[in-house]
Amino acid sequence: DAGSSVEEMEFNWDEYLEDTGATAAPHGSFKHVDTSLQNGFAPGMKLEVAVKSDQNTYWVATIITTCGQLLLLRYDGYGEDRKADFWCDILTADLHPIGWCQQNKKVLKVPEGIKDKIPDQEEFLQRVLKGACSAPANLLEGLHRGKNPLDLIAPGSRLELQNIQDSLEAWIVNVVENVGGRLKLRYEGLEDLDKFDQWLFYLDPFLHQVGWAAQHGYSLQPPLAIRSLRSEADWQEILKKVKEEEEESSVPTDLFKDKPVIGVHSFSEGMKLEAVDPMAPFVISPATVLKVYNDKYFLIEMDDLRPERAAGQRYVCHLNSAGIFPVQWSLKNGLHLSPPPGYPGQDFDWADYLKQCGAEAAPQSCFPLLTSDHGFKENMKLEAVNPADPEEVCIATVTKLKDSYLWLQLEGSKKPVPECIVSVESMNIFPVGWCETNGYQLRPPRKAIVNKQKKIAVVQPEKQILSSRTVHDGLKNQELNSSDSVVINGKYCCPKIYFNHRCFSGPYLNKGRIAELPQSVGPGNCVLVLKEVLTLLINAAYKPSRVLRELQLDEEAAWHGHGETLKAKYKGKSYRATVEVVRTADRVADFCRKTCIKLECCPNLFGPQMVLDKCSENCSVLTKTKYTHYYGKRKNKRIGRPPGGHSNMEVAMKKPNKRRKRRKHFFVHKKKRSSTSVDNTPAGSPQGSGAEDEDDQDESELSHSLAQDRDKRKRKLRTFSFSDDENKPPSPKDIKMEVAEKLQLDSNPLEWSVADVVRFLKSTDCAPLARIFLDQEIDGQALLLLTLPTVQECMDLKLGPAIKLCHHIERVKLAFYQQFAN
C-alpha cells in the first residue's frame, strides 16, 4: 500500500511480546548471565558499617542480598527481623571488612535499636564472628571498590585463548570490548587488523588468564591463520613485550573460578558420531574423531566425501562440548541427519556408512547425559548471537526442543539465516532485555509500518505521593526520578526473587502449584523479572483471573512504579489488567512484601530473601481456612482495601438490555473505569467471547457490589473501612477533653522520620491509620503540612476519621510552635 513502508522502529520488548502473544524465556535459564552478575559479595558475608545515627561509630552487619553495586544489609543483633534492613551503595557508603575498626582504632558500638538485646557487646561479637566470612577487602577498598569483578576485564586487558584447531597451543588476545561479559578479542600483534577478531563469553572453557599455558604445559604459538603475517622474530618480540607488561594488563584469577570444569573423555581416534558444525550450526551431520590430544581434548572433523576436498571443517572438543551426539541420535529424536557432502543419494543409513568406512560408532558412554530440565519452551523469545555474523545479536524464537538443545529462528539479521541449533547452556544466548541493559544494539525485526495513529492506553493516577519530598517540591502525579534507572553500572539491578515454597500460600494461591514454581527468578531488569514473578503467581492461583484482579493498579493509588499489562486465563477465557511494578532494586523487597499482603499470603512467600529454615513470620501454623487469624477479618474489612476488589478491571458486556444476564458480565468492582483510558479493549476484559463464570460465592459478592454501585450515586465510596463509631465525627465534648490534654514533645517534629510519625500515631486513637503513613512515607516535615482537605483527598478518609486524625496533627503543630518554632 502507498500508506505503508518497511522500516526499523525503536524496538520495545514489552510491546513486541504483547503483539506476538509470546513469553520471554525465564531469566534463570541463562546460568552464564546469572554468574556474570555476581559482584564478589555473597549473602551471609559480614562487614563493618557506619551506624547511621552516629557516623563516628560502627557495627557488624550481614549481607542479605546483592544487586549490582548495592548491598542489602542487616545489623547483627536484629536476628530474623527484616524491618531494619537497609540498602547501601558500595561506592558511597562507609563499609569495611571485619577487623578494620580494630586496625584503625575506630569504635564498634551497638546501635540504639538493639541495645537492649545485647547486654554484653564483647561476648556477642566473639559469638557472631566465630567462623564468619568477611566481605573481600579488595572490593571494599582501593581501585576495585564497588566494581563488579567482571568490569575488571577492561579494554586493553590480556587473556590467553586456546587454538580451536589445536588445543595444545594458545596465544595472547587483547580485550577490545566487554559487553556484559561477552568479549570482543583480537590476537596480540594484529594492532588494528580486525579481520580475525572473535567474540567469546568470558566463561568460555578455551579462554584463560595470562600464564595459563605455561602452567599447564601448553605452547604459546600464534594460530596458523595469522602466523604468516609476522616473522618468527616479530612474534618472539611480541611475546617478550607481553611478559614485561603482564602485571599492568592482567585480570584477577578468581574471575575464572566459575568456569565449567573439563572432565576426562573416553573417545578414540576414528570413532564416528553425529555433530553440529559450530561455525555453521544449522544441520546435524556425520563426523569423525580425527585426533586425541590427551584425556581432555580431541579433534573432530565434519565428514566430507568429495574427492576435491582435502579436509573437512575441524574443531577441538572436550567431554562437555555442545553439538556432539551418538550415532542414531537424530533418528531416535525424529530429526533429519544431513548426509556428508559427496554421499551418494539422500537416504543415509548409519549401518551401511560404518561398513563402507570400516569405522566404529562412539559408544553412548562417551557422551554426557542430556537433560530436559531447563525452563525453555516452544515459542519463547530470547536474544541470540547470529552464528553467521557474531557482531549481531538478534531476537530469537524457540521453534523446537530436543533434550538439551534448542532450534532458534533469528529475526532481523542483515542476511537471512536458517534455524540454528544451540545447547541450552550455550553462552551465545541471552535473556530478553540483555542487550538493552548492557547498551548493545539488538537487531530489531523488520516489519511493515502502516501510517496510522496508534492508540495508547493512558492510565494517569490522580493522587499525589505524600512523602515530604513531594509535598515540599509541589510534585503532583509525577514519579520521582532520582533512582529511576533500571540499570546500575550497566548491569541488571533486580536481585534474585526466591519462591519460599514452605511459606503460607493464603486463600488465593494453590499450594500444589506454588510448590511447582522454580526456586528463583532473576536477577535481571526489575520490570521484566517482577512481571515474570507475577505471571507465575497468577498461573499458580485457584482462579487466575481473581488474583489478577487483586494485583491490578488502583486508579486512585499513588503510582510509584511502572504499569505493566498482565494476562490471566480462566475457564477458556483471557483477562488482562494493568499492574504496577517497581523499577529499581531498592524498592523490590518492599514491593514483594506488599504484594504478598495483597494476596493474603505469608509476606515471605516470595522476595529477594530465601527462607532457609524457619520463616520469620511463623506462618507454618496457618492454613487456608485460618488465614483470617493472620490478616484479621475478610478483605472487605481490611484497612486500605476497597470492598469488592479494585476498579480498573472490567469485563465487556454482550447484551446490556437484560439485567440478569448483564450481571454475569462484570468483574466485582466498586467504580467505573477511568475515562482517561482510550484503549479500545477494557483492562481485564476477556480476549474471547463471554466473560468469567464465577462460583456461588462470587455471585453473592457480585450482588453486594452492585448494591454498593447504586449507593455510590448518593455518596463517594472511600477506600478505607472503619467501624460505625469511627465514621461519626467526634462530639464537641470529646474534642474539648482531648484539647485539654496538652502535648509535650521530646523532639522536634521537623526532624521526625517516617518511623517516628508512625510511632506517634500508634500512641493515639488513630493507630489503625499508621499503615497509611508508613506506605506513603510521610515524615515529620510532611506531617506538619497536612490539612483536613489534604487528608480527605489524598488518604481517602471519611469525615469522622479525618477529623480525628487532623485533631492529633494540630496538637503536634501547636506543640511545635510552642516548643521549637523559636
Side-chain angles (χ1 to χ4, degrees), residues 69-122:
Q69 69 191 51
L70 297 181
L71 301 177
L72 182 64
L73 304 177
R74 183 184 303 163
Y75 285 122
D76 281 16
Y78 276 99
E80 295 298 316
D81 187 359
R82 297 167 50 169
K83 293 175 184 174
D85 291 3
F86 58 98
W87 287 96
C88 276
D89 187 324
I90 303 165
L91 288 174
T92 57
D94 197 356
L95 309 174
H96 304 279
I98 296 298
W100 180 87
C101 284
Q102 186 176 5
Q103 293 170 8
N104 293 274
K105 297 181 180 178
K106 297 290 183 180
V107 179
L108 274 175
K109 183 180 176 184
V110 183
E112 289 293 329
I114 49 174
K115 234 178 185 178
D116 55 337
K117 296 182 180 180
I118 305 175
D120 187 335
Q121 176 176 314
E122 293 301 321

Coordinates of all heavy atoms in Angstrom, one line a residue, residues 69-122:
Q69 N 26.0 -2.8 42.4 CA 26.8 -2.2 43.4 C 26.0 -1.9 44.7 O 26.5 -1.2 45.6 CB 27.4 -0.9 42.9 CG 26.4 0.3 42.7 CD 27.0 1.4 41.9 OE1 27.6 1.2 40.8 NE2 26.8 2.6 42.4
L70 N 24.8 -2.4 44.8 CA 24.0 -2.3 46.0 C 24.1 -3.5 46.9 O 24.1 -4.6 46.4 CB 22.6 -2.0 45.6 CG 22.3 -0.7 44.9 CD1 20.8 -0.5 44.6 CD2 22.8 0.5 45.6
L71 N 24.1 -3.3 48.2 CA 24.1 -4.4 49.1 C 22.9 -4.2 50.1 O 22.7 -3.0 50.6 CB 25.4 -4.5 50.0 CG 26.7 -4.6 49.2 CD1 27.8 -4.6 50.3 CD2 26.7 -5.9 48.4
L72 N 22.1 -5.2 50.3 CA 21.1 -5.1 51.3 C 21.7 -5.7 52.6 O 22.1 -6.9 52.7 CB 19.8 -5.9 50.9 CG 18.6 -5.9 51.9 CD1 18.1 -4.4 52.0 CD2 17.5 -6.8 51.5
L73 N 21.7 -4.9 53.7 CA 22.4 -5.2 54.9 C 21.5 -5.3 56.1 O 20.4 -4.6 56.1 CB 23.5 -4.2 55.2 CG 24.6 -4.0 54.1 CD1 25.6 -2.9 54.6 CD2 25.3 -5.3 53.8
R74 N 21.9 -6.0 57.1 CA 21.1 -6.1 58.4 C 22.2 -6.1 59.5 O 23.1 -6.9 59.5 CB 20.2 -7.3 58.5 CG 19.4 -7.4 59.7 CD 18.6 -8.7 59.8 NE 17.8 -8.8 58.6 CZ 17.2 -10.0 58.2 NH1 17.5 -11.1 58.9 NH2 16.5 -10.0 57.1
Y75 N 22.0 -5.2 60.5 CA 22.9 -5.1 61.6 C 22.8 -6.4 62.4 O 21.6 -6.9 62.7 CB 22.6 -3.9 62.5 CG 23.1 -2.6 61.9 CD1 22.3 -1.6 61.7 CD2 24.5 -2.4 61.6 CE1 22.7 -0.3 61.2 CE2 24.9 -1.2 61.1 CZ 24.0 -0.2 60.9 OH 24.5 1.0 60.4
D76 N 23.9 -7.0 62.8 CA 23.8 -8.2 63.6 C 23.2 -7.9 65.0 O 23.6 -6.9 65.6 CB 25.3 -8.8 63.9 CG 25.7 -9.5 62.6 OD1 25.1 -9.4 61.6 OD2 26.7 -10.3 62.8
G77 N 22.3 -8.7 65.4 CA 21.5 -8.5 66.6 C 20.0 -8.4 66.3 O 19.2 -8.5 67.2
Y78 N 19.7 -8.1 65.1 CA 18.3 -8.0 64.7 C 17.7 -9.4 64.4 O 16.5 -9.5 64.2 CB 18.1 -7.1 63.5 CG 18.0 -5.6 63.8 CD1 19.1 -4.8 63.7 CD2 16.8 -5.1 64.3 CE1 19.0 -3.5 64.0 CE2 16.7 -3.7 64.6 CZ 17.9 -2.9 64.5 OH 17.8 -1.6 64.8
G79 N 18.5 -10.4 64.4 CA 18.0 -11.8 64.1 C 17.3 -11.9 62.8 O 17.8 -11.5 61.8
E80 N 16.0 -12.4 62.9 CA 15.3 -12.6 61.6 C 14.4 -11.4 61.3 O 13.6 -11.4 60.4 CB 14.4 -13.8 61.8 CG 15.1 -15.1 61.9 CD 15.9 -15.4 60.6 OE1 15.4 -15.2 59.5 OE2 17.1 -15.8 60.8
D81 N 14.5 -10.3 62.1 CA 13.7 -9.1 61.9 C 14.2 -8.3 60.6 O 15.3 -7.8 60.6 CB 13.8 -8.2 63.1 CG 12.8 -7.0 63.0 OD1 12.1 -6.9 62.0 OD2 12.8 -6.2 64.0
R82 N 13.3 -8.3 59.6 CA 13.7 -7.6 58.3 C 13.4 -6.1 58.3 O 13.8 -5.5 57.4 CB 13.0 -8.3 57.2 CG 13.3 -9.8 57.0 CD 12.4 -10.5 56.1 NE 12.2 -9.8 54.8 CZ 11.5 -10.3 53.8 NH1 11.1 -11.5 53.9 NH2 11.4 -9.6 52.7
K83 N 12.7 -5.7 59.3 CA 12.2 -4.3 59.3 C 13.4 -3.3 59.3 O 13.2 -2.2 58.8 CB 11.3 -4.0 60.5 CG 10.0 -4.8 60.4 CD 9.2 -4.6 61.7 CE 7.9 -5.4 61.6 NZ 7.2 -5.4 62.9
A84 N 14.5 -3.7 59.8 CA 15.6 -2.7 59.9 C 16.6 -2.9 58.7 O 17.7 -2.3 58.7 CB 16.4 -2.9 61.2
D85 N 16.3 -3.8 57.8 CA 17.2 -4.0 56.6 C 17.4 -2.6 55.8 O 16.4 -1.9 55.7 CB 16.6 -5.0 55.7 CG 16.7 -6.4 56.3 OD1 17.1 -6.5 57.4 OD2 16.3 -7.4 55.6
F86 N 18.6 -2.4 55.3 CA 18.8 -1.2 54.6 C 19.8 -1.4 53.4 O 20.6 -2.3 53.5 CB 19.4 -0.1 55.5 CG 20.6 -0.5 56.2 CD1 21.9 0.0 55.7 CD2 20.6 -1.2 57.3 CE1 23.1 -0.4 56.3 CE2 21.8 -1.6 58.0 CZ 23.0 -1.2 57.5
W87 N 19.6 -0.6 52.3 CA 20.4 -0.8 51.1 C 21.6 0.2 51.3 O 21.5 1.3 51.8 CB 19.6 -0.4 49.9 CG 18.7 -1.4 49.5 CD1 17.3 -1.5 49.8 CD2 18.9 -2.6 48.7 NE1 16.7 -2.6 49.2 CE2 17.7 -3.3 48.5 CE3 20.0 -3.1 48.1 CZ2 17.6 -4.5 47.8 CZ3 19.9 -4.3 47.3 CH2 18.7 -5.0 47.2
C88 N 22.8 -0.3 50.8 CA 24.0 0.6 50.8 C 24.6 0.5 49.4 O 24.6 -0.5 48.7 CB 25.0 0.1 51.8 SG 24.8 0.7 53.4
D89 N 25.1 1.7 48.9 CA 25.9 1.7 47.7 C 27.3 1.5 48.1 O 27.9 2.3 48.8 CB 25.6 3.1 47.0 CG 26.3 3.1 45.6 OD1 27.4 2.5 45.4 OD2 25.7 3.8 44.7
I90 N 28.0 0.5 47.5 CA 29.4 0.2 47.9 C 30.3 1.4 47.6 O 31.3 1.6 48.3 CB 29.9 -1.0 47.1 CG1 29.0 -2.2 47.3 CG2 31.3 -1.4 47.4 CD1 29.1 -3.3 46.3
L91 N 30.0 2.2 46.5 CA 30.8 3.3 46.2 C 30.8 4.5 47.1 O 31.7 5.2 47.3 CB 30.4 3.8 44.8 CG 30.8 2.9 43.6 CD1 30.2 3.4 42.3 CD2 32.3 2.7 43.5
T92 N 29.6 4.6 47.8 CA 29.5 5.8 48.6 C 29.4 5.5 50.1 O 29.6 6.4 50.9 CB 28.2 6.6 48.2 OG1 27.1 5.8 48.3 CG2 28.4 7.1 46.8
A93 N 28.9 4.3 50.5 CA 28.7 4.0 51.9 C 30.0 3.8 52.6 O 31.1 3.5 52.0 CB 27.8 2.8 52.1
D94 N 30.0 4.0 53.9 CA 31.2 3.8 54.8 C 31.2 2.3 55.2 O 30.8 1.9 56.3 CB 31.1 4.7 56.0 CG 32.4 4.9 56.7 OD1 33.4 4.2 56.3 OD2 32.5 5.6 57.7
L95 N 31.8 1.4 54.3 CA 31.8 0.0 54.5 C 33.3 -0.5 54.6 O 34.1 0.0 53.9 CB 31.1 -0.7 53.4 CG 29.7 -0.2 53.0 CD1 29.2 -1.0 51.8 CD2 28.7 -0.5 54.2
H96 N 33.5 -1.5 55.5 CA 34.8 -2.0 55.7 C 34.8 -3.5 56.0 O 33.8 -4.0 56.6 CB 35.6 -1.2 56.8 CG 35.6 0.2 56.6 ND1 36.5 0.9 55.7 CD2 34.8 1.2 57.0 CE1 36.3 2.1 55.7 NE2 35.2 2.4 56.5
P97 N 35.9 -4.2 55.7 CA 36.0 -5.6 56.1 C 36.1 -5.8 57.6 O 36.4 -4.8 58.4 CB 37.3 -6.1 55.4 CG 38.1 -4.9 55.2 CD 37.1 -3.7 55.0
I98 N 35.8 -7.0 58.1 CA 35.9 -7.3 59.5 C 37.3 -7.1 60.0 O 38.3 -7.5 59.4 CB 35.4 -8.7 59.8 CG1 33.9 -8.9 59.4 CG2 35.7 -9.1 61.2 CD1 33.0 -8.1 60.2
G99 N 37.5 -6.4 61.1 CA 38.8 -6.1 61.7 C 39.3 -4.7 61.4 O 40.3 -4.3 62.0
W100 N 38.6 -4.0 60.5 CA 39.1 -2.7 60.1 C 39.0 -1.7 61.3 O 39.9 -0.9 61.5 CB 38.2 -2.2 58.9 CG 38.6 -0.8 58.5 CD1 39.5 -0.5 57.5 CD2 38.0 0.4 58.9 NE1 39.5 0.9 57.3 CE2 38.6 1.5 58.2 CE3 37.0 0.8 59.8 CZ2 38.3 2.8 58.3 CZ3 36.7 2.1 60.0 CH2 37.3 3.1 59.3
C101 N 38.0 -1.8 62.1 CA 37.8 -0.8 63.2 C 39.0 -1.0 64.2 O 39.6 -0.1 64.7 CB 36.5 -1.1 63.9 SG 35.1 -0.4 63.0
Q102 N 39.3 -2.3 64.5 CA 40.4 -2.5 65.4 C 41.7 -2.0 64.9 O 42.5 -1.4 65.6 CB 40.5 -4.0 65.7 CG 41.5 -4.4 66.8 CD 41.5 -5.9 67.1 OE1 40.8 -6.7 66.4 NE2 42.3 -6.3 68.1
Q103 N 42.0 -2.2 63.6 CA 43.2 -1.8 63.0 C 43.3 -0.2 62.9 O 44.4 0.3 63.0 CB 43.3 -2.3 61.5 CG 43.5 -3.8 61.5 CD 43.4 -4.4 60.1 OE1 43.3 -3.6 59.1 NE2 43.3 -5.7 60.0
N104 N 42.2 0.4 62.8 CA 42.2 1.9 62.6 C 41.7 2.6 63.8 O 41.3 3.8 63.8 CB 41.3 2.3 61.4 CG 41.9 1.8 60.1 OD1 42.8 2.5 59.5 ND2 41.5 0.6 59.6
K105 N 41.6 1.9 65.0 CA 41.2 2.5 66.2 C 39.8 3.2 66.2 O 39.7 4.4 66.6 CB 42.3 3.4 66.8 CG 43.6 2.7 67.0 CD 44.6 3.6 67.6 CE 45.9 2.8 67.8 NZ 47.0 3.7 68.3
K106 N 38.9 2.6 65.5 CA 37.5 3.1 65.4 C 36.6 2.3 66.4 O 36.9 1.2 66.8 CB 36.9 2.9 64.0 CG 37.7 3.7 63.0 CD 37.5 5.2 63.1 CE 38.2 6.0 62.0 NZ 38.1 7.4 62.1
V107 N 35.5 3.0 66.8 CA 34.6 2.4 67.8 C 33.6 1.5 67.3 O 32.8 1.9 66.4 CB 33.9 3.6 68.6 CG1 33.0 3.0 69.7 CG2 35.0 4.5 69.2
L108 N 33.5 0.3 67.8 CA 32.4 -0.6 67.5 C 31.4 -0.5 68.6 O 31.7 -0.7 69.8 CB 32.9 -2.1 67.4 CG 33.4 -2.6 66.1 CD1 34.0 -4.0 66.2 CD2 32.4 -2.6 65.0
K109 N 30.1 0.0 68.2 CA 29.1 0.2 69.3 C 27.8 -0.3 68.8 O 27.4 0.0 67.7 CB 29.1 1.8 69.5 CG 28.1 2.2 70.6 CD 28.2 3.7 70.8 CE 27.2 4.2 71.8 NZ 27.2 5.6 71.9
V110 N 27.1 -0.9 69.7 CA 25.8 -1.5 69.4 C 24.8 -0.3 69.0 O 24.7 0.6 69.7 CB 25.2 -2.3 70.5 CG1 23.8 -2.9 70.2 CG2 26.2 -3.3 71.0
P111 N 24.1 -0.4 67.9 CA 23.1 0.6 67.5 C 21.9 0.7 68.6 O 21.6 -0.3 69.2 CB 22.5 0.1 66.2 CG 23.6 -0.8 65.6 CD 24.2 -1.4 66.8
E112 N 21.3 1.8 68.7 CA 20.3 2.1 69.7 C 19.1 1.1 69.6 O 18.6 0.6 70.6 CB 19.7 3.5 69.5 CG 20.7 4.6 70.0 CD 21.0 4.5 71.5 OE1 20.1 4.1 72.2 OE2 22.1 4.9 71.9
G113 N 18.7 0.7 68.4 CA 17.6 -0.1 68.2 C 17.7 -1.5 68.8 O 16.7 -2.2 69.0
I114 N 18.9 -2.0 69.1 CA 19.1 -3.4 69.6 C 19.9 -3.4 70.8 O 20.4 -4.4 71.2 CB 19.7 -4.3 68.5 CG1 21.0 -3.6 67.9 CG2 18.7 -4.7 67.4 CD1 21.7 -4.5 66.9
K115 N 20.1 -2.2 71.5 CA 20.9 -2.1 72.7 C 20.4 -3.1 73.8 O 21.2 -3.8 74.4 CB 20.9 -0.7 73.2 CG 22.3 -0.1 73.4 CD 22.2 1.3 73.9 CE 23.6 1.9 73.9 NZ 23.6 3.3 74.3
D116 N 19.1 -3.2 73.9 CA 18.6 -4.0 75.0 C 18.7 -5.5 74.7 O 18.6 -6.3 75.6 CB 17.1 -3.7 75.2 CG 16.3 -3.8 73.9 OD1 16.9 -3.7 72.9 OD2 15.0 -4.0 74.0
K117 N 19.0 -5.8 73.4 CA 19.1 -7.3 73.1 C 20.5 -7.8 73.3 O 20.8 -9.0 73.2 CB 18.7 -7.5 71.6 CG 17.2 -7.2 71.3 CD 16.9 -7.5 69.9 CE 15.5 -7.2 69.5 NZ 15.1 -7.5 68.1
I118 N 21.5 -6.8 73.4 CA 22.9 -7.2 73.5 C 23.5 -6.6 74.8 O 24.1 -5.6 74.8 CB 23.7 -6.7 72.3 CG1 23.0 -7.2 71.0 CG2 25.1 -7.2 72.3 CD1 23.6 -6.7 69.7
P119 N 23.3 -7.3 75.9 CA 23.9 -6.8 77.2 C 25.4 -6.8 77.2 O 26.0 -6.0 77.8 CB 23.3 -7.8 78.2 CG 22.9 -9.0 77.5 CD 22.6 -8.6 76.1
D120 N 26.0 -7.8 76.6 CA 27.5 -8.0 76.6 C 28.0 -7.9 75.2 O 27.9 -8.9 74.4 CB 27.9 -9.3 77.3 CG 29.4 -9.4 77.5 OD1 30.1 -8.7 76.8 OD2 29.8 -10.1 78.4
Q121 N 28.5 -6.7 74.8 CA 28.9 -6.5 73.4 C 30.1 -7.4 73.0 O 30.1 -8.0 71.9 CB 29.3 -5.0 73.2 CG 29.9 -4.7 71.8 CD 30.2 -3.2 71.7 OE1 29.3 -2.4 72.0 NE2 31.3 -2.9 71.1
E122 N 31.1 -7.5 73.9 CA 32.3 -8.3 73.6 C 31.9 -9.8 73.3 O 32.4 -10.4 72.4 CB 33.3 -8.2 74.7 CG 33.9 -6.8 74.8 CD 34.6 -6.3 73.5 OE1 35.3 -7.2 72.8 OE2 34.5 -5.2 73.1

